[in-house]
Amino acid sequence: MMWLSQNQEDLSERYDVIIVGSGYGGAVAASRLARLGFQVCLLERGREIVPGQYPNNTEQFLKEVHAVLPSEQIGAENALFDVRCYRDIQVVTGSGLGGTSLIDAGVCLRPDLSLLQDLAWPEAIRNDPQMPIYYQKAETMLCPSPYPLGFPLPPKFCNVEQAVKETIRDVKTSRPKLLINFDSLPNGLNPAGVRQNPCTLCGNCLTGCNEGAKNTLMMNYLPDAKRHGARLFTRMQVLSIQQEDTLWRVFVKRIREDNKKEKPLMLRADRVILAAGTLGTTEILLRSEEKGLKLSNALGHRFSGNGNTIGVVFNTNAPMNAVGLGSHGNDGEVPVGPATAGMMAIGSEQPLKNDILLSDLTFPGAFGKWLPFLLSSLAKTAGAIEMGAANEKEGAIQELFQKETRIIQSRILGSGAGAVHHTSLLFVTGHDESAGRIIMEKDRIKILWPGIHRQPKLYRTHEMLKQIAETLEGYSIPNPIWHERLGNGIMTWHPLGGAVMADDASAGVVNHKGQVFSGGSGVEVYSGLYVMDGSVIPRSLGVPPLLTICALAERSCSLLEMEKR
């Protein structure tokens, strides 16, 4: 596979456009603006990783985790997994050329269009009849496709679906479009001219696809940007920006492999597009504000976790086969399937507020070595084993013996047997109050969301996951920080907000085009300063946000093109 990034030594001091971040928004901007003839420089904090280099065992995975804890940081700055741990919430994102697209499940869904009529959005978005066109433009580039009808649904989905239908009335099942190539392509090349293989159903999507079957941004928008002249640089962390007459100064720290510290570089550009993700972009703006850039008082507000909740249904009576095959491939083994094959939409009396999407997830094979010990320990810590449904019915002793036997089997034979083979990971996307706040403290960002655990829908979701586990005659394990001693915090893979769009600066940080407001009130904006990523989204979406981020970036770039003309 052709490398997309360039040597840091090739970096120039001046560009037409500097794009910060290579996730969904940044990749769209790089492609579209390079096509318009701009001299584009894209800066990515992480490194370029190609198929064959993603972790497929425990040792490799642990080297790819960078964790920011309250008092310290662990792991390499440019590791693939960026984990931010705060008291109220934990955030997991991807770091690398392609951003979180490298490690997400690739679920490509449009939100209900009525959601875009919510008053949280600027009026121009609410009244834009072209929004479906921008979604379509993004879909054309990303090439999503549903799990094929000719492929059998994995047992992890079928068993959970049956349990959900037994416990919940209003359920609709679907096979969502996924950013995965399931077919053999003509000449092996996708529409962007990049070589791609078909999915092998190995189940390792969430630690990076070594088969080259995932439609990450490395397979579409980013190579398109490079082909049209954009220059992509990795291991470049943007610290802050400053206005200089009609230009913008961008201060950049190179992340060296030898960890040597050096003086930040200063680049200049006519336009700067911040697309470093919800946390990255908000951090850059907060640090720039400290250095004198006048911004809206709404900066850092309206952070959302997109209603994310996870849970584990552990040691059920039915086999789940929900652990990826790791480095073993799938020769002679039962295919696991993609990270998720189907989704269950669970309605409510208050649509767009309490609706949730429940999906099965696959544990990547890189986790397999320690899952038998981790899951059984978490089950006991959460009190699940003592409270399991097996104790409440006839034959409880015999069933408990069978479950304990399966736990021992997993510890001896590994994740492909016993209790772990009878375990499934569940993931919920929904809605929350978007009431979190990102602040800067000692030159590091911090997320505050006091009382997040008091949202009634969170308790209802955890109760639902528990009921599903009981129906499957297994144990329910909530996410590790949903515990009274830890403040009942949540985990999210879909951070949104922090630099939200609004009609004016009193309510948001950017306007409907993504242009940054130049003060605390009014509609005046900075010339040439944009935000195009999940930080501009002013509320939870109820679906994975990747397609909406791309559609909004497509819209911003189209409007920028009109201004250029």
Side-chain angles (χ1 to χ4, degrees):
M1 180 175 178
M2 176 184 69
W3 291 85
L4 299 181
S5 59
Q6 308 206 202
N7 293 328
Q8 292 180 343
E9 291 72 22
D10 296 332
L11 193 67
S12 300
E13 294 183 0
R14 174 80 161 77
Y15 292 94
D16 294 337
V17 181
I18 291 179
I19 299 171
V20 183
S22 63
Y24 289 107
V28 170
S31 167
R32 297 311 183 192
L33 299 187
R35 281 172 174 258
L36 293 177
F38 288 107
Q39 185 187 30
V40 173
C41 166
L42 183 146
L43 304 175
E44 166 57 47
R45 184 191 65 176
R47 65 195 199 281
E48 182 171 1
I49 308 173
V50 299
Q53 296 182 337
Y54 294 102
N56 58 21
N57 60 47
T58 303
E59 291 73 20
Q60 292 174 359
F61 170 74
L62 292 176
K63 292 179 181 179
E64 290 291 351
V65 176
H66 172 241
V68 178
L69 307 175
S71 59
E72 61 179 327
Q73 297 187 47
I74 301 173
E77 284 186 272
N78 59 355
L80 177 59
F81 292 84
D82 187 24
V83 183
R84 307 294 182 96
C85 303
Y86 308 103
R87 175 172 174 80
D88 303 319
I89 192 168
Q90 291 186 3
V91 182
V92 181
T93 58
S95 177
L97 193 61
T100 301
S101 77
L102 304 177
I103 61 167
D104 63 18
V107 177
C108 193
L109 288 177
R110 301 186 189 191
D112 190 310
L113 286 181
S114 60
L115 181 139
L116 297 179
Q117 302 303 311
D118 188 278
L119 293 178
W121 297 93
E123 183 179 1
I125 296 290
R126 300 198 306 270
N127 297 329
D128 191 347
Q130 302 295 311
M131 281 305 299
I133 295 176
Y134 298 124
Y135 276 103
Q136 183 58 55
K137 288 182 70 173
E139 289 172 337
T140 299
M141 286 293 291
L142 294 170
C143 297
S145 60
Y147 186 68
L149 290 174
F151 288 23
L153 281 169
K156 63 187 174 74
F157 177 78
C158 294
N159 292 330
V160 171
E161 179 191 26
Q162 183 62 36
V164 170
K165 289 182 175 179
E166 290 180 17
T167 56
I168 302 169
R169 292 182 180 179
D170 187 11
V171 180
K172 295 179 181 178
T173 302
S174 65
R175 297 191 184 197
K177 289 184 177 181
L178 306 172
L179 299 186
I180 298 176
N181 171 49
F182 293 103
D183 301 317
S184 296
L185 300 172
N187 301 318
L189 301 178
N190 68 17
V194 179
R195 185 165 299 280
Q196 267 194 280
N197 298 318
C199 178
T200 64
L201 307 181
C202 70
N204 296 322
C205 308
L206 301 183
T207 46
C209 180
N210 280 316
E211 306 299 328
K214 276 184 71 174
N215 298 353
T216 69
L217 295 166
M218 292 279 289
M219 299 291 177
N220 36 71
Y221 277 109
L222 290 174
D224 184 78
K226 182 179 176 68
R227 187 163 56 250
H228 287 87
R231 299 168 74 84
L232 317 179
F233 296 91
T234 58
R235 295 182 285 114
M236 306 289 285
Q237 181 179 5
V238 172
L239 302 175
S240 62
I241 55 174
Q242 290 180 4
Q243 194 174 29
E244 179 188 60
D245 297 325
T246 60
L247 296 178
W248 288 94
R249 293 179 177 181
V250 179
F251 296 89
V252 186
K253 180 183 77 172
R254 294 199 304 173
I255 299 177
R256 297 173 54 106
E257 293 183 0
D258 59 10
N259 293 322
K260 278 189 176 181
K261 294 184 178 180
E262 55 184 35
K263 186 178 179 180
L265 306 173
M266 186 183 72
L267 310 180
R268 289 182 173 87
D270 298 288
R271 292 177 174 86
V272 171
I273 296 175
L274 298 178
T278 288
L279 301 188
T281 289
T282 306
E283 180 175 2
I284 292 168
L285 288 174
L286 285 168
R287 190 177 290 114
S288 301
E289 183 180 47
E290 288 183 345
K291 296 182 181 296
L293 188 67
K294 294 182 179 180
L295 297 167
S296 166
N297 293 330
L299 178 60
H301 290 265
R302 297 200 61 76
F303 175 85
S304 167
N306 205 29
N308 284 170
T309 306
I310 63 167
V312 176
V313 178
F314 176 63
N315 201 359
T316 70
N317 284 346
M320 295 292 186
N321 194 32
V323 181
L325 302 178
S327 59
H328 305 298
N330 60 2
D331 294 339
E333 297 190 55
V334 178
V336 175
T340 185
M343 303 191 82
M344 289 152 277
I346 301 171
S348 73
E349 296 178 357
Q350 291 181 294
L352 306 185
K353 291 185 179 181
N354 293 332
D355 286 355
I356 66 172
L357 285 177
L358 176 65
S359 59
D360 62 307
L361 280 186
T362 301
F363 294 101
F367 296 1
K369 184 176 180 180
W370 40 270
L371 277 177
F373 304 93
L374 176 65
L375 292 178
S376 59
S377 297
L378 287 175
K380 291 179 180 178
T381 300
I385 287 182
E386 287 72 18
M387 296 186 295
N391 292 327
E392 301 174 3
K393 68 177 188 177
E394 209 171 310
I397 295 178
Q398 181 179 356
E399 185 169 331
L400 187 60
F401 176 76
Q402 291 175 340
K403 290 183 179 299
E404 289 295 334
T405 299
R406 286 201 293 264
I407 290 174
I408 294 171
Q409 287 175 333
S410 287
R411 290 183 172 183
I412 295 174
L413 301 177
S415 296
V420 178
H421 187 61
H422 287 242
T423 295
S424 183
L425 177 63
L426 303 181
F427 183 71
V428 169
T429 302
H431 296 284
D432 57 33
E433 297 170 353
S434 303
R437 185 183 176 194
I438 305 172
I439 65 169
M440 184 72 76
E441 188 175 88
K442 298 180 180 178
D443 203 40
R444 292 172 60 184
I445 60 168
K446 181 178 181 180
I447 302 176
L448 303 176
W449 199 334
I452 186 173
H453 63 283
R454 289 194 289 269
Q455 297 180 91
K457 58 179 70 69
L458 277 176
Y459 282 94
R460 289 196 298 268
T461 299
H462 280 281
E463 185 60 30
M464 178 193 71
L465 296 178
K466 182 180 177 182
Q467 290 175 0
I468 293 171
E470 290 177 351
T471 301
L472 288 164
E473 300 182 281
Y475 303 130
S476 176
I477 306 174
N479 84 68
I481 62 170
W482 182 260
H483 194 283
E484 290 184 3
R485 293 181 181 176
L486 299 176
N488 282 348
I490 68 168
M491 300 178 72
T492 183
W493 284 257
H494 299 159
L496 302 172
V500 302
M501 56 172 55
D503 287 315
D504 59 61
S506 66
V509 179
V510 304
N511 67 9
H512 69 99
K513 299 178 183 180
Q515 296 171 303
V516 178
F517 291 122
S518 58
S521 62
V523 297
E524 295 298 316
V525 296
Y526 286 110
S527 175
L529 182 59
Y530 296 79
V531 177
M532 299 185 193
D533 58 22
S535 68
V536 305
I537 295 177
R539 56 154 297 155
S540 57
L541 294 174
V543 297
L546 72 86
L547 188 58
T548 297
I549 294 171
C550 289
L552 289 172
E554 289 278 12
R555 182 179 185 276
S556 293
C557 290
S558 293
L559 295 175
L560 193 155
E561 178 183 3
M562 293 173 62
E563 290 176 2
K564 183 186 177 186
R565 291 176 180 173

